[in-house]
Amino acid sequence: MTPRQVLFGGTAVLAVLTLLPLVVGANVIDKLTGLFILMLLAAMWGLMAGQAGLVSVGQQAFFGLGGYFALRLVDGGFSAYPALLAGAVGAAAVAWVMSFFLLRLKDGEFAIATWVVAEVIRILVMLDPLVQGETGTSLLALNAVEPALRRNLGYGFALVSLAAMLLAVWWLMRSPVGTASRALGDDDEAAASLGVRVMSTRRAVYVLAAFGCALAGVAWLASAVTFLPRTNFGVQWSVLMLFMVLVGGLRSLAGPIVGALLLFTLQESLGDFGVWYLAGVGALAALFALFLPQGLVGLWQERRARQAAQAASAAAPPPADASTPVNPTRSIST
């Protein structure tokens, strides 16, 4: 698809989803808000791992920090919804500072360090009297908003955040930074030898992904109202990101979205089975890792490529010696 077609199609879908609260009930709005949050998380983790080769298991730090900063800003006198956006910006600023230390690590060291840092941040947040430790707290300013309006505003916030970040990722993947990040994901040493600015490129990807995860966190807070450190900073968010990207496909923008849709479907159909649902999700992720590492979108792309190659081969003219037989009776004119 051409860039114009992508933008036109995305704008049309956004317009339909914007008007959806006028025709559907509260339950549908709540479920779609949750789906948008999953899609946003998946797209951010796919950007990091699929494009720049940064495998993090600590993105829940920014999911929780966005909500925590929003709580602090509201406690300091900010209005609730501007505080949500400002909280996400604050989390991105923390990610920028952290990047100077974390991005010096590679592979497993980086993954473990991100998880350790996320746990340290969670513990520090729990020490804040405003949060009340494991008890948590609520963004009470949102309770002053009429429930139906609050639900629709939360839906709109999640939808706009998802659309903005998908547009940012799509633009980034088509920019020189995106080309450099893909080169780093393939072989960082070879990319550096070709002049790619390793740290600045990875920092741009890391901070953008952190901002997207923080937006997902504040969208979750706007919907749930309650802030619980063990939930908002829970490692399950990174596990879900990994599952969605692994199943959907790493190296494309569509892969994480497909993975989020599949996870959402599993949650809605099998979520009542409790631990068996979690076991099934884990088993499905293991099967994809072993037998379909390219994910569903990668499988579809490979199939399309094979079909295109077969069609091109069938349309090609046969070799000249096979299509033009030699006439032994034909004489050579002089």
Side-chain angles (χ1 to χ4, degrees):
M1 296 178 66
T2 65
R4 180 174 296 180
Q5 290 173 328
V6 171
L7 290 174
F8 178 80
T11 302
V13 172
L14 180 62
V16 171
L17 291 175
T18 300
L19 298 175
L20 206 57
L22 300 176
V23 296
V24 299
N27 186 51
V28 174
I29 294 302
D30 288 338
K31 291 184 182 300
L32 284 177
T33 302
L35 175 59
F36 296 156
I37 292 171
L38 289 177
M39 287 181 171
L40 182 52
L41 290 173
M44 295 302 99
W45 204 88
L47 170 65
M48 288 183 58
Q51 301 301 317
L54 296 172
V55 179
S56 169
V57 289
Q59 294 305 99
Q60 66 272 14
F62 308 113
F63 186 92
L65 270 178
Y68 170 69
F69 285 151
L71 286 168
R72 264 286 158 210
L73 289 170
V74 170
D75 186 65
F78 268 65
S79 297
Y81 288 101
L84 293 175
L85 181 58
V89 173
V94 172
W96 181 79
V97 174
M98 290 169 52
S99 69
F100 287 91
F101 306 97
L102 291 178
L103 295 181
R104 297 180 183 276
L105 305 175
K106 291 187 177 182
D107 303 328
E109 293 177 346
F110 173 79
I112 293 172
T114 57
W115 176 75
V116 171
V117 169
E119 284 298 295
V120 170
I121 291 174
R122 179 181 68 84
I123 293 171
L124 292 175
V125 168
M126 288 172 56
L127 295 176
D128 187 341
L130 177 66
V131 178
Q132 304 177 60
E134 290 288 355
T135 304
T137 186
S138 298
L139 190 57
L140 297 177
L142 291 178
N143 290 331
V145 182
E146 194 271 328
L149 177 59
R150 184 176 70 233
R151 179 181 296 107
N152 290 337
L153 288 174
Y155 170 88
F157 187 92
L159 175 60
V160 172
S161 298
L162 174 62
M165 295 310 296
L166 287 180
L167 181 62
V169 172
W170 178 77
W171 174 84
L172 183 70
M173 290 173 62
R174 298 174 60 85
S175 71
V177 176
T179 303
S181 66
R182 285 191 294 273
L184 291 175
D186 293 333
D187 190 330
D188 56 351
E189 293 182 357
S193 68
L194 295 174
V196 174
R197 300 172 63 184
V198 177
M199 290 298 292
S200 60
T201 300
R202 281 186 168 165
R203 182 171 295 114
V205 172
Y206 183 72
V207 173
L208 179 63
F211 179 60
C213 289
L215 284 174
V218 295
W220 175 271
L221 179 61
S223 176
V225 180
T226 302
F227 181 88
L228 298 172
R230 191 165 294 279
T231 298
N232 291 71
F233 286 96
V235 72
Q236 76 273 6
W237 295 112
S238 283
V239 172
L240 292 178
M241 293 182 222
L242 189 151
F243 172 85
M244 291 184 286
V245 176
L246 182 64
V247 171
L250 262 178
R251 302 306 294 265
S252 69
L253 182 58
I257 302 302
V258 171
L261 287 169
L262 178 60
L263 177 63
F264 177 78
T265 303
L266 291 174
Q267 287 179 338
E268 291 300 311
S269 57
L270 303 177
D272 293 337
F273 288 91
V275 67
W276 291 106
Y277 153 73
L278 296 176
V281 168
L284 183 61
L287 289 174
F288 269 86
L290 291 172
F291 302 109
L292 198 63
Q294 72 272 38
L296 293 174
V297 172
L299 179 65
W300 178 77
Q301 290 174 338
E302 289 183 1
R303 183 177 180 183
R304 287 286 302 272
R306 284 197 302 269
Q307 291 175 343
Q310 291 172 356
S313 177
D321 57 351
S323 60
T324 309
V326 178
N327 185 356
T329 64
R330 182 178 180 183
S331 60
I332 301 176
S333 59
T334 58

